[in-house]
Amino acid sequence: MLKIKNGKLIGSNMAFALPEDFKLNLKMPGGHYHILEFESEKRILKGCKIFIDVEFEDAELNAKEAMEEFIEDCELKLCGEFYPVTRGKGTAIAAHIKGAEGYSDYYEERYDFAPNNLKQNQVTVSIYLMPNKGQNLQKSVCDALDLPNVKAFLDSIEYF
């Protein structure tokens, strides 16, 4: 469960502000996880939409192992190496990941924490691009990370 305080959503393991100029897509996923998905308006980054997902789950693998499994299962490519990202009092593992050529580009960070009352022990923040219908992806997720509203969202995250 998330509560709202001082313009932030706060859970037992993290807090973050809502991203400006994004719509909230309400999803009802199955399984042992909960997800919030935010979708950009069409014109924020030319030729594509930006998605921001915040996923809370009861993970059997640690953050690095889960990220490696995601990359392998989805036939994605790790760009560079995994690296630490400190936000608040916690440090997550982060990576830049590419999908099939011209189709998707991801930034992802995962954070392990002690199980909360929902037995969730991991949170994943993903920012990814999807091209507009009938187009190939012309931008990189790095272009999205440089946008003021995406940067403000990431800067608002606190892990604890």
Side-chain angles (χ1 to χ4, degrees), residues 60-79:
E60 295 178 10
L61 303 174
N62 69 36
K64 185 173 188 259
E65 293 167 342
M67 206 182 273
E68 289 170 335
E69 183 178 82
F70 169 71
I71 291 168
E72 184 178 323
D73 289 351
C74 296
E75 298 179 0
L76 303 172
K77 179 183 176 226
L78 178 64
C79 301

Side-chain angles (χ1 to χ4, degrees), residues 3-152:
K3 68 180 177 178
I4 301 167
K5 185 174 182 181
N6 297 326
K8 283 189 155 186
L9 294 176
I10 301 170
S12 62
N13 44 25
M14 76 176 299
F16 59 93
L18 296 172
E20 291 289 326
D21 300 321
F22 280 75
K23 301 179 285 188
L24 175 61
N25 290 335
L26 299 175
K27 290 187 165 189
M28 296 298 295
H32 300 284
Y33 63 95
H34 294 90
I35 190 168
L36 293 172
E37 181 177 76
F38 302 96
E39 179 182 339
S40 70
E41 298 293 335
K42 288 184 179 181
R43 292 181 175 83
I44 290 179
L45 199 58
K46 187 176 179 179
C48 63
K49 285 191 175 185
I50 304 168
F51 291 86
I52 298 174
D53 289 356
V54 180
E55 179 181 328
F56 303 89
E57 70 177 300
D58 172 11
E60 295 178 10
L61 303 174
N62 69 36
K64 185 173 188 259
E65 293 167 342
M67 206 182 273
E68 289 170 335
E69 183 178 82
F70 169 71
I71 291 168
E72 184 178 323
D73 289 351
C74 296
E75 298 179 0
L76 303 172
K77 179 183 176 226
L78 178 64
C79 301
E81 301 290 325
F82 295 109
Y83 56 94
V85 175
T86 300
R87 301 190 188 282
K89 295 179 182 176
T91 299
I93 186 168
H96 179 191
I97 306 164
K98 285 200 176 266
E101 191 63 38
Y103 186 68
S104 60
D105 197 12
Y106 295 82
Y107 167 79
E108 184 169 294
E109 55 188 55
R110 290 184 190 231
Y111 177 69
D112 290 315
F113 52 88
N116 62 19
N117 60 349
L118 297 174
K119 296 185 171 77
Q120 297 165 331
N121 62 351
Q122 195 170 99
V123 65
T124 303
V125 174
S126 303
I127 298 174
Y128 60 97
L129 306 181
M130 297 297 280
N132 291 339
K133 189 175 181 180
Q135 296 181 7
N136 282 333
L137 195 58
Q138 303 294 318
K139 299 287 184 177
S140 165
V141 74
C142 297
D143 297 316
L145 297 176
D146 287 338
L147 293 172
N149 50 349
V150 175
K151 185 172 177 5

